[in-house]
Amino acid sequence: MSTPSSGPLAGVRVVDLTSVLLGPFATQIMGDMGADVIKIEGPEGDTTRDLGPRRSPGMASVYLNANRNKRSLCIDLKSEDGRAAFLKLLESMDVFVHNMRPSAIKRLKLTYEDVCAVNPKIIYCGAYGFGQEGPYANKPAYDDMIQAVSGIAATQSALMGRPGYMPTVIADKTTGLTVVYSVSMALFNRERTGEGQEIKIPMFETMVQFHMLEHMYGKNFVPPLGPAGYPRAISPKRHPYKTKDGMIGVLPYVDKQWKAFFDIAGKPELMDDPRFCNVTARLENVDEVYQILGELVATRTSAEWLAALDAASIPAVPINTPDELLDDEHLKAVDFWQTMDHPTEGPLVFPGIPTSFSQTPGGVSRHAPTLGEHNSEVLEEIGFSTTEIEQMTISGALHTRL
């Protein structure tokens, strides 16, 4: 497959020293947007290579879904030859991304100061569990741990009766998106000033900002005007509602929508109820509001409600399962689901690119690589001969799994 020829990041070269989901998700987006992403793996490979169903060893579903549009260089950074080759690679790169703990990146002698000495204009992005200036700096961090310490798990208590984790790796993926926009802004700054820089992105602080945007609530003020926690979001009555034959998601929000909803439900008088008459009243009585909403939704079928609510421009949608998303009519109409014939895994289906650019569209032009698939290609580009590459393979500095 050819290197992406378009995309807003076309021409940007990225060294991807990340694993699991946070970093690979971020660098995959960069690859989707045209960057040349070189995934650096040790001899054992990314742990997600064995996470999920697979047709071939080291090519599991989770790995395939977070590593397209990349080239794989499998190199032992602890070996003398491997480190020398890696430093040579860094000389021509625009971006270096890693998600290792501070102590681990120091042991590899790949801190910002180390990398900057090789390439002063590089954008160096380290994604960490916690800010390096605080007492948690060297704690290990996985998605569940960050959901717990950032308050997300505790906030789930309002809905579940106990703390709980969201059924998606929201901390990994949200922090991954933060990596993408932070690197993009640093590249923009470098275009104007010529300066490289270091970016530190801690998962904990990122998710506290994400979580507390609405949940600061009364604690925004000094002294507080009330507790933390956005009442509408943590109401136990806020959930998909049963209809006569299924469930739907429905959310009248502004006054006009609530009036239209009560009219459709045959209860226009409820708009004059002091609990429902305006947004402030509805928020103060949110549990009762959603209780009555659920009771009214239960009086008709899903199809009846969706037709009536769509006609009135009231937000309402079916409840899709993950399996049903593959057949969603809207996602099919916008060609969201992408297909690819992988050279070792055969036909694949995966989520596409949600954003579109009128002049520089991204695209999917590379399959998720096998371990070390591009060793020779990448090293030849930076000046290594075939003989030197063969010698590095024999010495154990390079590895492949084809």
Side-chain angles (χ1 to χ4, degrees):
M1 292 184 173
S2 61
T3 301
S5 58
S6 66
L9 293 180
V12 173
R13 303 191 71 204
V14 179
V15 172
D16 174 11
L17 186 60
T18 71
S19 62
V20 193
L21 284 177
L22 187 166
F25 177 54
T27 52
Q28 177 173 271
I29 294 172
M30 296 179 200
D32 289 349
M33 293 296 106
D36 179 15
V37 179
I38 299 173
K39 181 177 180 67
I40 308 299
E41 299 180 79
E44 69 287 347
D46 191 328
T47 56
T48 57
R49 284 186 175 275
D50 297 312
L51 190 60
R54 72 210 74 168
R55 290 174 177 151
S56 304
M59 299 299 287
S61 60
V62 176
Y63 168 79
L64 292 171
N65 224 28
N67 288 283
R68 68 187 181 213
N69 281 335
K70 301 179 186 181
R71 296 189 285 169
S72 174
L73 174 61
C74 184
I75 191 166
D76 185 354
L77 296 177
K78 297 177 182 178
S79 72
E80 185 177 340
D81 288 345
R83 178 175 175 80
F86 184 70
L87 294 178
K88 177 68 174 175
L89 176 67
L90 286 174
E91 292 176 4
S92 61
M93 304 305 287
D94 297 292
V95 177
F96 173 65
V97 183
H98 78 84
N99 62 344
M100 302 177 73
R101 279 195 273 174
S103 56
I105 204 71
K106 287 178 182 177
R107 284 196 300 270
L108 285 175
K109 297 180 181 179
L110 289 174
T111 65
Y112 174 63
E113 290 72 24
D114 297 319
V115 173
C116 187
V118 175
N119 182 347
K121 290 190 176 183
I122 203 163
I123 304 302
Y124 180 106
C125 181
Y128 306 99
F130 304 89
Q132 294 179 52
E133 293 74 28
Y136 301 167
N138 266 303
K139 278 182 174 288
Y142 292 98
D143 193 275
D144 290 3
M145 303 302 95
I146 298 300
Q147 287 198 43
V149 73
S150 68
I152 291 173
T155 301
Q156 293 283 91
S157 299
L159 308 180
M160 302 170 59
R162 58 175 175 78
Y165 299 130
M166 297 188 69
T168 184
V169 285
I170 190 170
D172 276 352
K173 291 184 287 187
T174 302
T175 308
L177 293 173
T178 304
V179 168
V180 176
Y181 75 67
S182 299
V183 167
S184 299
M185 289 189 287
L187 285 169
F188 178 72
N189 180 73
R190 194 182 68 179
E191 284 297 302
R192 294 192 301 173
T193 67
E195 296 176 345
Q197 63 180 297
E198 180 182 17
I199 306 168
K200 300 176 184 177
I201 301 177
M203 295 176 71
F204 177 40
E205 290 89 323
T206 296
M207 293 312 296
V208 170
Q209 180 203 46
F210 178 88
H211 177 223
M212 294 300 286
L213 179 70
E214 74 276 28
H215 286 303
M216 282 297 293
Y217 216 59
K219 294 289 189 177
N220 266 127
F221 302 91
V222 181
L225 297 183
Y230 177 39
R232 193 189 77 78
I234 59 177
S235 170
K237 303 296 183 180
R238 174 181 174 254
H239 51 68
Y241 297 108
K242 289 183 179 180
T243 64
K244 277 188 172 180
D245 61 351
M247 299 188 83
I248 61 172
V250 56
L251 180 62
Y253 196 75
V254 299
D255 291 351
K256 180 180 178 180
Q257 291 168 345
W258 276 104
K259 182 179 186 308
F261 175 80
F262 288 140
D263 288 344
I264 293 168
K267 298 286 185 178
E269 68 277 8
L270 285 176
M271 199 61 200
D272 296 324
D273 188 308
R275 296 172 296 175
F276 305 134
C277 61
N278 58 49
V279 65
T280 299
R282 290 191 295 271
L283 191 57
E284 290 174 348
N285 299 280
V286 65
D287 288 348
E288 294 175 77
V289 169
Y290 284 160
Q291 175 69 34
I292 291 173
L293 175 61
E295 292 170 358
L296 293 175
V297 170
T299 62
R300 301 185 190 181
T301 68
S302 296
E304 289 171 337
W305 274 119
L306 291 173
L309 297 174
D310 281 350
S313 295
I314 297 171
V317 291
I319 305 300
N320 278 328
T321 66
D323 285 334
E324 288 169 340
L325 285 173
L326 293 167
D327 295 313
D328 182 270
E329 61 179 355
H330 177 87
L331 294 176
K332 285 185 173 181
V334 299
D335 294 324
F336 177 75
W337 298 109
Q338 301 289 302
T339 59
M340 174 182 285
D341 285 325
H342 194 284
T344 63
E345 305 316 297
L348 299 175
V349 179
F350 49 87
I353 300 171
T355 55
S356 61
F357 292 73
S358 63
Q359 301 302 316
T360 56
V364 180
S365 58
R366 287 187 182 275
H367 59 263
T370 56
L371 185 66
E373 179 178 342
H374 301 97
N375 285 354
S376 296
E377 179 179 301
V378 170
L379 293 178
E380 286 173 358
E381 288 176 359
I382 60 174
F384 284 84
S385 68
T386 301
T387 301
E388 289 173 319
I389 294 170
E390 289 176 351
Q391 291 174 343
M392 291 175 65
T393 302
I394 293 170
S395 72
L398 293 177
H399 297 262
T400 58
R401 188 195 295 169
L402 300 177

Coordinates of all heavy atoms in Angstrom, one line a residue, residues 140-217:
P140 N 1.6 3.5 38.4 CA 1.1 2.9 37.2 C -0.3 3.4 36.9 O -1.1 3.6 37.9 CB 1.2 1.4 37.4 CG 1.1 1.3 38.9 CD 1.8 2.5 39.5
A141 N -0.7 3.6 35.7 CA -2.0 4.1 35.4 C -2.6 3.3 34.2 O -2.1 3.3 33.1 CB -1.9 5.6 35.0
Y142 N -3.8 2.7 34.5 CA -4.6 2.1 33.5 C -5.9 2.8 33.5 O -6.3 3.5 34.4 CB -4.7 0.6 33.7 CG -3.4 -0.1 33.5 CD1 -2.6 -0.5 34.6 CD2 -3.0 -0.5 32.2 CE1 -1.4 -1.2 34.4 CE2 -1.8 -1.1 32.0 CZ -1.0 -1.5 33.1 OH 0.2 -2.1 32.9
D143 N -6.7 2.6 32.5 CA -8.0 3.3 32.4 C -8.9 3.2 33.6 O -9.4 4.2 34.1 CB -8.8 2.7 31.1 CG -9.9 3.6 30.8 OD1 -11.0 3.5 31.4 OD2 -9.8 4.5 29.9
D144 N -9.0 2.0 34.2 CA -9.8 1.8 35.4 C -9.3 2.6 36.5 O -10.1 3.2 37.3 CB -9.8 0.3 35.8 CG -10.6 -0.6 34.8 OD1 -11.1 -0.1 33.8 OD2 -10.7 -1.8 35.1
M145 N -8.0 2.7 36.7 CA -7.5 3.4 37.8 C -7.7 4.9 37.6 O -8.0 5.6 38.6 CB -5.9 3.2 37.9 CG -5.5 1.7 38.0 SD -6.2 0.9 39.5 CE -7.7 0.1 38.8
I146 N -7.7 5.4 36.4 CA -7.9 6.8 36.2 C -9.4 7.1 36.3 O -9.8 8.2 36.9 CB -7.4 7.3 34.8 CG1 -5.9 7.0 34.7 CG2 -7.7 8.7 34.5 CD1 -5.1 7.8 35.7
Q147 N -10.3 6.2 35.9 CA -11.7 6.5 36.1 C -12.0 6.5 37.6 O -12.8 7.3 38.1 CB -12.5 5.3 35.5 CG -12.6 5.4 34.0 CD -13.8 4.5 33.5 OE1 -14.9 4.5 34.0 NE2 -13.5 3.8 32.4
A148 N -11.3 5.7 38.4 CA -11.5 5.7 39.8 C -11.0 7.0 40.5 O -11.8 7.7 41.2 CB -10.8 4.5 40.5
V149 N -9.8 7.4 40.2 CA -9.2 8.5 41.0 C -9.7 9.9 40.5 O -9.7 10.8 41.2 CB -7.6 8.4 40.9 CG1 -7.1 8.8 39.5 CG2 -7.0 9.3 42.0
S150 N -10.2 9.9 39.3 CA -10.7 11.2 38.7 C -12.2 11.5 39.1 O -12.7 12.5 38.7 CB -10.6 11.2 37.2 OG -11.5 10.2 36.6
G151 N -12.8 10.6 39.8 CA -14.2 10.8 40.3 C -15.2 10.2 39.4 O -16.4 10.2 39.8
I152 N -14.9 9.7 38.2 CA -15.9 9.2 37.3 C -16.5 8.0 37.9 O -17.8 7.8 37.8 CB -15.2 8.9 35.9 CG1 -14.8 10.2 35.2 CG2 -16.1 8.1 35.0 CD1 -14.0 9.9 34.0
A153 N -15.8 7.1 38.5 CA -16.4 5.9 39.1 C -17.3 6.2 40.2 O -18.4 5.6 40.3 CB -15.3 4.9 39.6
A154 N -17.0 7.2 41.0 CA -17.8 7.5 42.2 C -19.1 8.2 41.7 O -20.2 8.0 42.2 CB -17.1 8.5 43.1
T155 N -19.0 9.0 40.6 CA -20.2 9.7 40.1 C -21.2 8.6 39.6 O -22.4 8.9 39.6 CB -19.8 10.6 39.0 OG1 -18.9 11.6 39.5 CG2 -21.0 11.4 38.4
Q156 N -20.7 7.5 39.1 CA -21.6 6.4 38.6 C -22.5 5.9 39.8 O -23.5 5.3 39.5 CB -20.8 5.3 38.1 CG -20.1 5.6 36.8 CD -21.0 5.6 35.6 OE1 -21.5 6.6 35.2 NE2 -21.2 4.5 35.0
S157 N -22.1 6.2 41.0 CA -22.9 5.7 42.1 C -24.4 6.2 42.1 O -25.3 5.5 42.5 CB -22.3 6.1 43.5 OG -21.0 5.6 43.6
A158 N -24.6 7.4 41.6 CA -25.9 8.0 41.5 C -26.8 7.2 40.6 O -28.0 7.1 40.8 CB -25.8 9.4 41.0
L159 N -26.2 6.5 39.6 CA -27.0 5.7 38.7 C -27.1 4.2 39.1 O -28.0 3.5 38.8 CB -26.5 5.9 37.3 CG -26.2 7.3 36.8 CD1 -25.7 7.3 35.4 CD2 -27.5 8.1 36.8
M160 N -25.9 3.7 39.6 CA -25.8 2.3 39.9 C -26.0 1.9 41.3 O -26.0 0.7 41.6 CB -24.4 1.8 39.4 CG -24.2 2.1 37.9 SD -22.4 1.8 37.5 CE -22.2 0.1 37.9
G161 N -26.0 2.9 42.2 CA -26.0 2.5 43.7 C -24.7 2.2 44.3 O -24.6 1.9 45.5
R162 N -23.6 2.2 43.4 CA -22.3 1.9 43.9 C -21.3 2.5 42.8 O -21.7 2.7 41.7 CB -22.0 0.4 44.0 CG -22.3 -0.4 42.8 CD -21.9 -1.8 42.9 NE -22.3 -2.6 41.7 CZ -21.6 -2.6 40.6 NH1 -20.5 -1.9 40.5 NH2 -22.0 -3.3 39.6
P163 N -20.1 2.7 43.2 CA -19.1 3.2 42.2 C -19.0 2.1 41.0 O -19.1 0.9 41.3 CB -17.8 3.3 42.9 CG -18.2 3.5 44.4 CD -19.5 2.7 44.5
G164 N -18.8 2.6 39.8 CA -18.6 1.7 38.7 C -17.8 2.3 37.6 O -17.7 3.6 37.5
Y165 N -17.3 1.5 36.8 CA -16.5 2.0 35.6 C -17.4 2.0 34.4 O -18.3 1.2 34.2 CB -15.3 1.0 35.3 CG -14.3 0.9 36.4 CD1 -13.9 -0.4 36.9 CD2 -13.8 2.0 37.1 CE1 -13.0 -0.5 38.0 CE2 -12.9 1.9 38.1 CZ -12.5 0.7 38.6 OH -11.6 0.5 39.6
M166 N -17.2 3.0 33.6 CA -17.9 3.1 32.3 C -17.5 2.0 31.4 O -16.3 1.6 31.4 CB -17.6 4.5 31.6 CG -18.1 5.7 32.4 SD -18.0 7.2 31.5 CE -19.3 7.0 30.3
P167 N -18.4 1.4 30.6 CA -18.0 0.2 29.8 C -17.3 0.6 28.5 O -17.6 0.1 27.4 CB -19.4 -0.4 29.5 CG -20.3 0.8 29.5 CD -19.8 1.7 30.6
T168 N -16.4 1.5 28.6 CA -15.5 1.9 27.5 C -14.3 2.5 28.1 O -14.3 3.0 29.2 CB -16.2 2.8 26.5 OG1 -15.3 3.1 25.4 CG2 -16.5 4.2 27.2
V169 N -13.1 2.4 27.4 CA -11.9 2.9 28.0 C -11.8 4.4 27.7 O -11.0 4.9 27.0 CB -10.7 2.2 27.5 CG1 -10.5 0.8 28.1 CG2 -10.7 2.1 25.9
I170 N -12.7 5.1 28.5 CA -12.9 6.6 28.2 C -11.6 7.4 28.6 O -11.3 8.4 27.9 CB -14.1 7.1 28.9 CG1 -14.5 8.5 28.5 CG2 -14.0 7.0 30.5 CD1 -15.8 9.0 29.0
A171 N -10.9 7.0 29.6 CA -9.7 7.8 30.0 C -8.6 7.6 28.9 O -8.0 8.6 28.5 CB -9.2 7.3 31.3
D172 N -8.4 6.4 28.5 CA -7.4 6.2 27.4 C -7.7 7.0 26.2 O -6.9 7.7 25.6 CB -7.3 4.7 27.0 CG -6.4 3.9 27.9 OD1 -5.7 4.5 28.8 OD2 -6.4 2.7 27.8
K173 N -9.0 6.9 25.7 CA -9.3 7.5 24.4 C -9.4 9.0 24.5 O -9.0 9.7 23.6 CB -10.6 6.9 23.9 CG -10.4 5.4 23.5 CD -11.6 4.8 22.9 CE -12.7 4.5 23.9 NZ -13.9 3.8 23.3
T174 N -10.0 9.5 25.6 CA -10.0 11.0 25.8 C -8.6 11.6 25.9 O -8.3 12.6 25.3 CB -10.8 11.4 27.1 OG1 -12.1 10.8 27.0 CG2 -10.9 12.8 27.3
T175 N -7.7 10.9 26.6 CA -6.3 11.4 26.7 C -5.7 11.3 25.3 O -4.9 12.1 24.9 CB -5.6 10.6 27.8 OG1 -6.3 10.7 29.0 CG2 -4.2 11.3 28.0
G176 N -6.0 10.2 24.6 CA -5.5 10.1 23.2 C -5.9 11.2 22.3 O -5.1 11.8 21.6
L177 N -7.1 11.7 22.4 CA -7.6 12.8 21.7 C -6.8 14.1 22.1 O -6.5 15.0 21.3 CB -9.1 13.0 21.8 CG -10.0 11.9 21.2 CD1 -11.4 12.1 21.6 CD2 -9.8 11.9 19.7
T178 N -6.5 14.2 23.4 CA -5.8 15.3 23.9 C -4.4 15.3 23.3 O -3.8 16.4 23.0 CB -5.7 15.3 25.4 OG1 -7.1 15.2 25.9 CG2 -5.0 16.5 26.0
V179 N -3.8 14.2 23.2 CA -2.5 14.1 22.5 C -2.6 14.6 21.1 O -1.7 15.4 20.7 CB -2.0 12.6 22.5 CG1 -0.8 12.4 21.6 CG2 -1.6 12.1 23.9
V180 N -3.6 14.2 20.4 CA -3.7 14.7 19.0 C -3.8 16.2 18.8 O -3.1 16.8 18.1 CB -4.9 14.0 18.3 CG1 -5.1 14.5 16.8 CG2 -4.7 12.5 18.2
Y181 N -4.7 16.8 19.6 CA -4.8 18.2 19.5 C -3.6 19.0 20.0 O -3.3 20.0 19.5 CB -6.2 18.7 20.0 CG -6.4 18.9 21.5 CD1 -5.7 19.8 22.3 CD2 -7.3 18.1 22.1 CE1 -5.9 19.9 23.6 CE2 -7.6 18.2 23.5 CZ -6.8 19.1 24.2 OH -7.1 19.3 25.6
S182 N -3.0 18.4 21.0 CA -1.8 19.1 21.6 C -0.7 19.1 20.6 O 0.0 20.1 20.4 CB -1.4 18.5 22.9 OG -2.5 18.5 23.9
V183 N -0.4 17.9 20.0 CA 0.7 17.8 19.0 C 0.4 18.7 17.8 O 1.3 19.4 17.3 CB 0.8 16.4 18.6 CG1 1.7 16.3 17.3 CG2 1.5 15.5 19.7
S184 N -0.9 18.7 17.4 CA -1.2 19.6 16.2 C -1.0 21.1 16.5 O -0.5 21.8 15.7 CB -2.7 19.4 15.9 OG -2.9 18.0 15.5
M185 N -1.3 21.5 17.7 CA -1.1 22.9 18.1 C 0.4 23.2 18.2 O 0.8 24.3 17.8 CB -1.8 23.2 19.4 CG -3.3 23.3 19.2 SD -4.2 23.9 20.7 CE -4.0 22.6 21.8
A186 N 1.2 22.2 18.7 CA 2.6 22.5 18.8 C 3.2 22.5 17.4 O 4.2 23.3 17.1 CB 3.3 21.3 19.6
L187 N 2.7 21.7 16.5 CA 3.2 21.8 15.1 C 2.9 23.1 14.4 O 3.7 23.7 13.7 CB 2.6 20.6 14.3 CG 3.2 19.2 14.5 CD1 2.3 18.2 13.9 CD2 4.6 19.1 14.0
F188 N 1.7 23.6 14.7 CA 1.3 24.9 14.2 C 2.2 26.0 14.7 O 2.7 26.9 14.0 CB -0.2 25.2 14.6 CG -0.7 26.6 14.1 CD1 -0.9 26.8 12.8 CD2 -0.8 27.6 15.1 CE1 -1.4 28.0 12.4 CE2 -1.3 28.8 14.6 CZ -1.6 29.1 13.3
N189 N 2.5 25.9 16.0 CA 3.4 26.9 16.6 C 4.8 26.8 16.0 O 5.5 27.8 15.7 CB 3.5 26.7 18.1 CG 4.5 27.7 18.8 OD1 4.2 28.8 19.0 ND2 5.7 27.2 19.2
R190 N 5.3 25.6 15.7 CA 6.6 25.4 15.1 C 6.6 26.0 13.7 O 7.7 26.5 13.3 CB 7.0 23.9 15.1 CG 8.5 23.7 14.8 CD 8.9 22.3 14.7 NE 8.3 21.6 13.6 CZ 8.5 20.4 13.2 NH1 9.2 19.6 14.0 NH2 7.9 19.8 12.2
E191 N 5.5 25.9 13.0 CA 5.5 26.5 11.6 C 5.7 28.0 11.7 O 6.3 28.6 10.8 CB 4.1 26.2 11.0 CG 4.0 24.8 10.5 CD 5.0 24.5 9.4 OE1 5.0 25.2 8.4 OE2 5.8 23.5 9.6
R192 N 5.2 28.6 12.8 CA 5.3 30.1 12.9 C 6.7 30.5 13.5 O 7.2 31.5 13.2 CB 4.2 30.6 13.8 CG 2.8 30.5 13.1 CD 1.8 31.2 13.9 NE 1.7 30.8 15.3 CZ 1.0 31.4 16.2 NH1 0.2 32.5 15.9 NH2 0.9 31.0 17.5
T193 N 7.2 29.7 14.4 CA 8.4 30.1 15.2 C 9.6 29.3 14.9 O 10.7 29.7 15.3 CB 8.1 30.0 16.7 OG1 7.9 28.6 17.1 CG2 6.8 30.8 17.1
G194 N 9.5 28.1 14.4 CA 10.6 27.2 14.1 C 11.0 26.4 15.4 O 12.0 25.7 15.4
E195 N 10.3 26.6 16.5 CA 10.7 26.0 17.7 C 10.0 24.6 18.0 O 8.8 24.5 17.9 CB 10.3 26.9 18.9 CG 11.0 28.3 18.9 CD 10.6 29.2 20.0 OE1 9.5 28.9 20.6 OE2 11.3 30.2 20.2
G196 N 10.8 23.7 18.4 CA 10.2 22.4 18.9 C 9.9 22.6 20.4 O 10.3 23.7 21.0
Q197 N 9.2 21.6 21.0 CA 8.9 21.8 22.4 C 8.5 20.4 23.0 O 8.2 19.5 22.3 CB 7.9 22.8 22.7 CG 6.5 22.5 22.1 CD 5.5 23.7 22.4 OE1 5.2 23.9 23.6 NE2 5.1 24.3 21.4
E198 N 8.5 20.4 24.3 CA 8.0 19.2 25.0 C 6.6 19.4 25.5 O 6.2 20.5 26.0 CB 8.9 18.9 26.3 CG 8.4 17.7 27.1 CD 9.3 17.5 28.3 OE1 10.0 18.4 28.7 OE2 9.2 16.4 28.9
I199 N 5.8 18.4 25.3 CA 4.4 18.4 25.8 C 4.2 17.3 26.8 O 4.6 16.1 26.5 CB 3.4 18.2 24.6 CG1 3.6 19.2 23.5 CG2 1.9 18.2 25.1 CD1 2.8 18.8 22.2
K200 N 3.6 17.6 27.9 CA 3.3 16.5 29.0 C 1.8 16.5 29.1 O 1.2 17.5 29.4 CB 4.0 16.9 30.3 CG 5.5 17.0 30.3 CD 6.0 17.5 31.6 CE 7.5 17.7 31.6 NZ 8.0 18.2 32.9
I201 N 1.3 15.3 28.9 CA -0.2 15.1 29.0 C -0.5 14.0 30.1 O -0.3 12.8 29.8 CB -0.7 14.7 27.7 CG1 -0.4 15.8 26.6 CG2 -2.3 14.5 27.8 CD1 -0.9 15.5 25.2
P202 N -0.9 14.4 31.3 CA -1.3 13.5 32.3 C -2.7 13.0 32.2 O -3.6 13.8 32.1 CB -1.0 14.3 33.6 CG -1.3 15.7 33.2 CD -1.0 15.8 31.7
M203 N -2.9 11.7 32.3 CA -4.3 11.2 32.2 C -5.2 11.7 33.3 O -6.3 12.1 33.1 CB -4.3 9.7 32.2 CG -3.6 9.0 31.1 SD -3.5 7.2 31.3 CE -5.2 6.7 31.1
F204 N -4.6 11.7 34.6 CA -5.4 12.1 35.7 C -6.0 13.5 35.6 O -7.2 13.7 35.6 CB -4.6 12.0 37.0 CG -5.2 12.4 38.3 CD1 -6.6 12.1 38.5 CD2 -4.5 13.1 39.2 CE1 -7.1 12.5 39.7 CE2 -5.1 13.5 40.4 CZ -6.4 13.2 40.7
E205 N -5.1 14.5 35.3 CA -5.5 15.8 35.2 C -6.4 16.0 34.0 O -7.4 16.8 34.0 CB -4.3 16.8 35.1 CG -3.5 16.9 36.4 CD -2.4 15.9 36.6 OE1 -2.6 14.7 36.2 OE2 -1.4 16.2 37.1
T206 N -6.1 15.3 32.9 CA -7.0 15.4 31.7 C -8.4 15.0 32.0 O -9.4 15.6 31.6 CB -6.4 14.6 30.6 OG1 -5.1 15.1 30.2 CG2 -7.3 14.6 29.4
M207 N -8.5 13.9 32.7 CA -9.9 13.4 33.0 C -10.6 14.1 34.1 O -11.8 14.2 34.1 CB -9.8 11.9 33.4 CG -9.4 11.0 32.2 SD -10.3 11.3 30.6 CE -11.9 10.9 31.1
V208 N -9.9 14.7 35.0 CA -10.5 15.6 36.0 C -11.1 16.8 35.3 O -12.3 17.2 35.6 CB -9.6 16.0 37.1 CG1 -10.2 17.1 38.0 CG2 -9.2 14.8 38.0
Q209 N -10.4 17.4 34.4 CA -10.9 18.5 33.6 C -12.1 18.1 32.8 O -13.2 18.8 32.8 CB -9.8 19.0 32.6 CG -10.3 20.2 31.8 CD -9.6 20.4 30.5 OE1 -9.3 19.4 29.8 NE2 -9.2 21.6 30.2
F210 N -12.0 16.9 32.1 CA -13.1 16.4 31.3 C -14.4 16.1 32.2 O -15.5 16.5 31.9 CB -12.6 15.1 30.7 CG -13.7 14.4 29.8 CD1 -13.8 14.7 28.5 CD2 -14.5 13.4 30.4 CE1 -14.8 14.0 27.7 CE2 -15.4 12.7 29.6 CZ -15.5 13.0 28.3
H211 N -14.2 15.5 33.3 CA -15.3 15.1 34.2 C -15.9 16.2 34.9 O -17.1 16.3 35.0 CB -14.7 14.1 35.2 CG -15.7 13.6 36.2 ND1 -15.4 13.5 37.6 CD2 -17.0 13.2 36.1 CE1 -16.5 13.1 38.2 NE2 -17.4 12.9 37.4
M212 N -15.1 17.2 35.4 CA -15.6 18.2 36.2 C -16.1 19.5 35.5 O -16.6 20.4 36.1 CB -14.6 18.6 37.2 CG -14.2 17.5 38.2 SD -15.6 16.9 39.2 CE -15.8 18.3 40.4
L213 N -16.1 19.4 34.2 CA -16.6 20.6 33.4 C -18.0 21.0 33.9 O -18.3 22.1 34.2 CB -16.6 20.3 31.9 CG -17.1 21.4 31.0 CD1 -16.1 22.5 31.0 CD2 -17.3 20.8 29.6
E214 N -18.9 20.0 33.9 CA -20.3 20.3 34.4 C -20.5 20.0 35.9 O -21.3 20.5 36.5 CB -21.3 19.5 33.5 CG -21.4 18.0 33.8 CD -20.4 17.2 33.0 OE1 -19.3 17.7 32.7 OE2 -20.7 16.0 32.8
H215 N -19.6 19.1 36.4 CA -19.8 18.6 37.8 C -19.2 19.5 38.8 O -19.5 19.3 40.0 CB -19.3 17.2 37.9 CG -20.2 16.1 37.3 ND1 -21.5 16.0 37.6 CD2 -19.9 15.2 36.3 CE1 -22.1 15.0 36.9 NE2 -21.1 14.5 36.1
M216 N -18.5 20.5 38.5 CA -18.1 21.5 39.5 C -19.3 22.1 40.1 O -19.4 22.3 41.3 CB -17.3 22.6 38.8 CG -15.8 22.3 38.6 SD -14.9 21.9 40.0 CE -14.8 23.5 40.8
Y217 N -20.3 22.5 39.3 CA -21.6 23.0 39.7 C -21.5 24.0 40.8 O -20.8 25.1 40.7 CB -22.5 21.8 40.1 CG -23.9 22.1 39.7 CD1 -24.2 22.4 38.3 CD2 -25.0 22.1 40.6 CE1 -25.6 22.6 38.0 CE2 -26.3 22.4 40.2 CZ -26.6 22.6 38.9 OH -27.8 22.9 38.5

